[in-house]
Every structure is written in C-alpha cells, then in structure tokens.
Amino acid sequence: MEPVYMDNNATTRVDLEVVDVMLPYFSEQFGNPSSIHSFGDKVGRAVKQARKQVQQLIGAERDSEIIFTSCGTESDSTAILSALKTLPERKEIITTVVEHPAILTLCEHLEKEGYKVHYLEVDKKGRLDLDAYQSLLSDQVAIVSVMWANNETGVLFPVEKMAEMAHAAGVLFHTDAVQAVGKLPINLKDSKIDMLSLSGHKLHAPKGIGVLYLRRGVRYRPLLRGGHQERGRRAGTENSASIVALGKAAEQALAHMEYENTFVAAMRDRLEAGILDAVPNCFVNGDPGSRLPNTSNIAFEFIEGEAILMLLNKQGIAASSGSACTSGSLEPSHVMRAMDIPYTAAHGSIRFSLSRYNTMDEIERVIEAVPPIVAQLRKLSPYWGEDGPVDEPEKAFAPTYA
Ligand code: PLP
C-alpha cells in the first residue's frame, strides 16, 4: 500500500512543476545573477520574477520588500537582531511561550546577554490574552515577535491586530509566518506588520530557502555582511535555483489557496470527526474556531504518542508528536505544557498535518487505522482499566514535569 504522509507542518513534498522550473538553474542557467553578461542576466531576471511571485503571495506593496534568506530560522534571527541593533537603547522583547525554537532559543540567548524577554502565556485552547499584551507594550520594547500560526496545534494568533497595537505604542512588529504562508490568504499591504518570516519547504518548495519581508522604510541591519546581494541586506551569492523554485511554489500556493481552505479543511474535519467518534477519551488540542485549515492535533489520553506513531508508521502512515525539532525528547512539547494539557493527555498528543496531496481515501485509511492502535496500547497502559481509565489516573504515576 502507498504510504500516507500527514506531516506537512514538518516539511512538504516539492511540487513536480516546481522541480521542473528549478532544474535548468543547476545546468544551462548556472550564471551568477550579479554578473552583467547574458549568463548572469537570465538568472537575474528569473530571481526578479520569483521576488514578484512571493510579493503577490503575501500581498506586499513592493517586490523590494522581499529579502531571500536560507530558511525561516535565518529570517527570524535577522528580524529580531536587526531591531535590537537599530534601537540600541531599547532592551526588551515581547514574544510568546509557544513560539518555535527558532525564536525561543534566540530569546534565551538574548536573555543571557542582558535583554528582558516577556513571554506571553496562552490559555487551555492556546489563545493569547491581548490585555496582558497591551500592558507590556512600552518605549522600552524594541520588537514584538509573535507567530502567525502555531506549528503544533495550528492555532492562529491575531497578528494583524497585535501589529496595530504595537504600532500605536511605537513598537516594531515581526511575525514568524512559516506555517501560515501558503495556507492562509495574507495581505501585508493593509497591515502594520513590519517584518515577516517564511520558509520554502513548508509550501512545496525545497529546503534551504526562506524570505524575510521587510516593510519599506523600516530601519534595518543585515545579519550577513559581504557582497551587495539583496541590496546589501543579505550578502551571499543567491541560491538561484531555490529562489526560482520558491517563486513557482508561491504562485501555485496562491492558485490553490481556495482548495486549501475548503477541501483540505474538509479532509481535516472528516479525519477529526472520524477519530473522535471511534475512540473514547480523546480530544482536539487548540482552538477549533481559529486554526490552520490543514492541522489537527489530537490528544489520546493515557497512552504514549511515540508508540502511536510507531504503530502508525508500521502501516505506512506518517504523522508526528510535537514539532520535529523537539521529537527525540520524552517530555511533552512546550506548547502542550503551556496550554496546561494534563500530562496523561499531553504525552499522547499526535499532530496530523495535511496538504493538497492528501486524498479522502487516505483520510478514511487513517480513521480505520487509529482506533485499534489506541485500543492495543491502552491494554498495556497503567492508566487504563478493563473498560476505561483507572480511578484518579493522575495519581497512578508521578507526573514527569511539574
Ligand atoms: N518557525 C516555525 C513556526 C516553524 O514551524 C519552523 C519549522 O518547522 C521554523 C520557524 C523554522 O523554519 P526553517 O526550517 O526554514 O528554518
């Protein structure tokens, strides 16, 4: 049987048309886009077209606001470090407890360097408290960095509103939109967002290509200094094949946007309903009213997520627990802990993340595969008795985190 891939928030398959358009840039179109001869010129024009394609996908006002980088992580670091360098008198940052490690690990490092980082908490559904946010905005804050969509739960944050609030307080606003771009319509022209990060491999382009959107007029310091590529804002010879690929993937994402928000969402909803119907003691993590169309994070109480994944994998079904970057650790993810999901459920939380390549047949296959796997694992679980959870399962074993 064909394998079923439902781990698209970790990475996506490169679209075959995208592969086709990028291949010539490894062979006949190998010129350096900065060269003035015809070899360079052709590639330079292709890079320009890709910049416009990305501009259109995110609704930026100008193509010059698009800076190509190597990945989402580089874009995130560049945004935050640029703000700190351009505003040296401001020593505070506002972010959230549920950001990706691309932001959190940098913030921990900056704390060691003397910056004060405010981490906004989330409620049980993964939502932010905007009053708490408002109370932290001040002229001491150099930048706010808040993700558009959470990679584990798909929960959306109201970043456009939060950017307005930041601007009203004279504070720069960055969003890590790595999971949102390509899945949601985005129109930066009409927003107050100053900087945005995106990553090619989450939208059917290759790994190793990203973008930092930098609103015109926002003061900026590059992370990489050297040649004049990207108007001196990101030195290093352009990864032209991947840039062209990202341009094509952006064009396709725009063309498939409606499908993503209708059919992919319908597949996700069917998957959730089918599983919740057939399996006792399971629930959806995150705010179902405000989520990415492709993501479902389901907590299966009293069993281990890693065990579910292994048994699914045996049947050719790929999903994930937590983010790819934290798997390998036995602790529940920081996102589940922040949402205060009981440890007996956080440990058994699985993320299914779909794409336009999934089919309803695959959804039905997963709906059939999951219930017997859960039943099999519950037979081995110390928290599960003959016909349901043991009394006071919280006390059956000590929690592994406080
Ligand atoms: N931010 C978010 C929300 C992500 O999900 C990821 C990747 O999983 C990243 C940043 C990092 O992107 P990249 O892998 O391109 O560095």
Side-chain angles (χ1 to χ4, degrees):
M1 253 203 274
E2 283 290 301
V4 175
Y5 185 73
M6 292 196 181
D7 197 12
N8 286 278
N9 288 9
T11 199
T12 58
R13 163 198 296 250
V14 181
D15 186 282
L16 288 182
E17 269 186 57
V18 169
V19 174
D20 278 351
V21 297
M22 84 182 286
L23 283 181
Y25 293 86
F26 292 109
S27 47
E28 59 271 23
Q29 307 286 5
F30 64 87
N32 184 325
S34 303
S35 304
I36 52 168
H37 47 62
S38 64
F39 290 87
D41 186 47
K42 279 191 189 140
V43 181
R45 273 193 266 165
V47 167
K48 195 170 164 44
Q49 189 198 347
R51 209 181 296 283
K52 283 210 173 301
Q53 287 163 317
V54 174
Q55 175 200 353
Q56 275 162 15
L57 177 62
I58 59 176
E61 188 150 19
R62 294 158 189 264
D63 62 357
S64 56
E65 294 172 323
I66 308 300
I67 303 172
F68 289 113
T69 65
S70 68
C71 58
T73 304
E74 183 190 327
S75 304
D76 284 345
S77 275
T78 308
I80 292 183
L81 295 173
S82 167
L84 298 179
K85 289 220 173 89
T86 54
L87 296 162
E89 65 293 348
R90 298 188 177 206
K91 300 286 183 209
E92 295 183 21
I93 299 165
I94 301 176
T95 186
T96 79
V97 283
V98 294
E99 296 297 308
H100 188 271
I103 295 288
L104 290 180
T105 310
L106 175 66
C107 284
E108 279 162 28
H109 170 74
L110 290 169
E111 282 180 294
K112 289 193 189 115
E113 299 213 322
Y115 290 94
K116 168 85 193 138
V117 183
H118 303 279
Y119 297 93
L120 293 167
E121 306 274 348
V122 293
D123 67 11
K124 286 185 189 308
K125 290 196 163 177
R127 296 171 301 202
L128 293 173
D129 174 352
L130 292 193
D131 292 334
Y133 168 57
Q134 180 70 61
S135 70
L136 292 172
L137 289 166
S138 78
D139 62 4
Q140 294 306 300
V141 178
I143 186 162
V144 176
S145 180
V146 171
M147 67 199 329
W148 199 311
N150 186 269
N151 43 304
E152 292 188 31
T153 58
V155 169
L156 306 177
F157 285 150
V159 286
E160 285 151 315
K161 165 109 181 104
M162 293 177 85
E164 277 171 25
M165 291 164 71
H167 268 223
V171 177
L172 280 175
F173 191 91
H174 164 255
T175 181
D176 174 342
V178 164
Q179 293 293 346
V181 172
K183 297 173 188 151
L184 295 177
I186 291 183
N187 192 5
L188 291 175
K189 277 195 279 316
D190 298 335
S191 83
K192 299 272 188 254
I193 293 167
D194 297 299
M195 291 186 261
L196 171 147
S197 304
L198 69 90
S199 174
H201 74 105
K202 309 290 184 178
L203 59 134
H204 306 289
K207 295 158 190 65
I209 183 71
V211 161
L212 176 64
Y213 157 84
L214 176 70
R215 178 179 295 283
R216 189 167 77 111
V218 172
R219 283 167 65 204
Y220 176 79
R221 294 277 187 289
L223 185 66
L224 297 187
R225 292 169 190 275
H228 286 103
Q229 294 88 357
E230 301 299 291
R231 299 170 171 230
R233 296 174 303 180
R234 199 277 184 182
T237 302
E238 295 87 342
N239 179 356
S240 35
S242 293
I243 290 174
V244 170
L246 177 55
K248 184 70 185 170
E251 182 191 292
Q252 291 194 336
L254 207 49
H256 289 110
M257 191 64 71
E258 200 179 319
Y259 184 87
E260 185 84 27
N261 284 275
T262 53
F263 199 68
V264 174
M267 285 195 288
R268 188 273 313 273
D269 292 347
R270 167 73 192 127
L271 177 71
E272 251 173 21
I275 290 177
L276 294 188
D277 225 33
V279 179
N281 291 84
C282 71
F283 59 86
V284 172
N285 289 314
D287 181 7
S290 177
R291 262 188 316 167
L292 287 173
N294 79 319
T295 307
S296 175
N297 191 310
I298 303 183
F300 298 94
E301 288 185 289
F302 314 118
I303 50 177
E304 284 291 339
E306 303 293 321
I308 306 174
L309 290 180
M310 271 161 47
L311 295 177
L312 282 174
N313 190 42
K314 271 196 177 165
Q315 299 192 31
I317 297 167
S320 109
S321 66
S323 78
C325 309
T326 50
S327 63
S329 135
L330 287 177
E331 284 298 293
S333 84
H334 67 290
V335 178
M336 295 300 132
R337 283 188 318 215
M339 287 162 60
D340 205 17
I341 304 296
Y343 70 95
T344 44
H347 269 293
S349 291
I350 300 291
R351 176 185 74 187
F352 298 95
S353 47
L354 313 185
S355 80
R356 59 179 187 258
Y357 291 101
N358 289 116
T359 62
M360 269 298 182
D361 284 350
E362 291 179 335
I363 298 289
E364 297 304 331
R365 214 174 115 193
V366 177
I367 291 173
E368 261 183 47
V370 168
I373 288 178
V374 173
Q376 179 187 345
L377 292 172
R378 282 188 176 153
K379 279 200 186 127
L380 306 171
S381 167
Y383 305 113
W384 196 261
E386 283 293 299
D387 48 9
V390 297
D391 284 344
E392 299 194 81
E394 308 293 323
K395 290 191 187 151
F397 274 82
T400 55
Y401 66 91

